[in-house]
Structures are given as C-alpha cells and as structure tokens.
Amino acid sequence: MSTLPMADPLLDSEFDEIEACLSILNDTLQPSNAISPAVAANRINELIPLKDGDDISGVDGFFWGIWEAFIEVAGQTPHDHPSQQKLVQVIEELNSTTCRAENPGGTHVWAELHRLGPSMREAWIDPISEEQVKEFGSHWINLNAFAARLVNAGLAQWKLFFIWSMRTALEKPKPQGPLLDCHVAAAAAWIAYGGSVLFKQITNEELSARELQLTAGGSLYNGRLGLSL
C-alpha cells in the first residue's frame, strides 16, 4: 500500500513533546510500518514531562496538545483508510495504559482520556460555505468518521456530535452542491462507523432543558428531539 501523506500541522503548544507525538503517529500510521498500536501508545506515554507519581496540574496543556495532534492526524487520514482505525487502536491502548502521571484526584489520565472531549469540542467546526468545503471539507468528513469510530469502540459518549452532524446535513435547507454533499458525507460517516452503537443509545426518556436546547432540530425537522426514533 502506498505512503499515507501527512502535512506538518502548526500546533500551538508550549511542549516540544507534541512534535514527537506527531512523529510517532505519522510513523505508526504508514501502511508500510509495522509499529503496533501498543508500542506507539507506550512511546506517547513516555513523552509526559513528569516524574512517576507526579500529578498533571502543571502540564495540563500537554494533554491539550496531545489530543490536538491526534485530532489533526485524524482529519488528514481518509475516513475509509485502515490507518484511521489504527489511530483509534492507539487510543484504546493508551486508555488501558498505566499513566506515568495522575490527576490530583488519583485517577489515571489515560483511563479517563483526560481533555479528549474538550479538545474535540474545540475542533468541531464544520464548513459553512463552498469555499470552506474546498479548504477543509475532507478534514471535516474524516473527523466525523474518527469521532464515530471512538464512540463505536466505547472510548467516548459523543451522541451530541452525531446529532449536530445529522441536523446540519438533513434538517437545515441547503441548495444542491458541494456544501450539502460534504455534510451528508459527514453524517453518513457516523452511520458507517458508529451506527450500531448509536442505535443502541436511542431512548424515549424525557430530556432536560439543557438537552432540549443542545439537540434542537433544524427547520426541516418536526419530530422528537434527542437521539430517538
């Protein structure tokens, strides 16, 4: 299989270790490379700039940077490429790794994937014009697929991201063209890579006022809000 091209992203981090993380991920995801997800996860764990037993209060930004690196690489990896699933497997290995650092509360940061959720929320910016589709439309589709794969693996509970992508694709009027095609492809990625798990999360429970606000439907939808049939 041919080389998976990766652009060198400009990440805003004070930690030099983030560049090393990008290098590890780039090497691991190349189809010709035999580096296993477990080996990659161990190398990333060793990057944490703390001594054993220290807590993470002084290097919280390191974890923001680590997930920014993962998210950037996920956006560059085609959604249907085997390397995107391998990226998820690296996170699975991290999730079961005994971290070299602990949260002040005593929980291991990899066990809770510290800062992954907020990092993904910051990156959740969908294209709103055909010009932006040209600029980062494929990145958006790949990112949706990556999020769906994480949900499918039980590593995240991100049904809001799914609802938002479906709402944008199907519940808001758009003319035929690249923008609509991009959003439909992003929504389809959720079905393709996380649909079975999301189907099991369908519920008819009453939603809180906050949940009603977050899952408000688009103008083309008049059904029940939330993840429901």
Side-chain angles (χ1 to χ4, degrees), residues 117-225:
S119 296
M120 182 64 85
R121 181 65 186 93
E122 284 201 355
W124 207 253
I125 302 173
D126 59 312
I128 59 174
S129 68
E130 291 192 5
E131 190 63 33
Q132 289 188 345
V133 169
K134 295 177 183 177
E135 182 182 352
F136 62 91
S138 60
H139 186 285
W140 174 242
I141 296 168
N142 297 336
L143 188 62
N144 276 262
F146 176 63
R149 288 179 185 273
L150 289 173
V151 169
N152 190 63
L155 295 168
Q157 301 293 323
W158 287 342
K159 60 184 178 183
L160 273 180
F161 290 152
F162 167 62
I163 290 171
W164 292 342
S165 289
M166 295 293 286
R167 177 177 64 192
T168 301
L170 305 177
E171 299 176 9
K172 295 182 178 181
K174 295 181 188 66
Q176 295 288 332
L179 182 60
L180 177 61
D181 292 345
C182 176
H183 285 297
V184 169
W190 280 95
I191 304 300
Y193 303 113
S196 59
V197 171
L198 289 162
F199 183 79
K200 294 176 182 178
Q201 294 181 13
I202 291 174
T203 176
N204 290 317
E205 294 179 0
E206 291 298 321
L207 301 178
S208 67
R210 178 61 172 164
E211 288 172 326
L212 288 171
Q213 179 184 23
L214 290 172
T215 61
S219 61
L220 300 179
Y221 180 71
N222 296 312
R224 180 182 173 82
L225 301 183

Side-chain angles (χ1 to χ4, degrees), residues 4-6 73-85 138-139 141-143 145-146 149 193:
L4 184 66
M6 290 285 181
V73 169
Q76 292 190 39
T77 306
H79 65 88
D80 55 354
H81 195 287
S83 290
Q84 198 179 84
Q85 184 59 33
S138 60
H139 186 285
I141 296 168
N142 297 336
L143 188 62
F146 176 63
R149 288 179 185 273
Y193 303 113

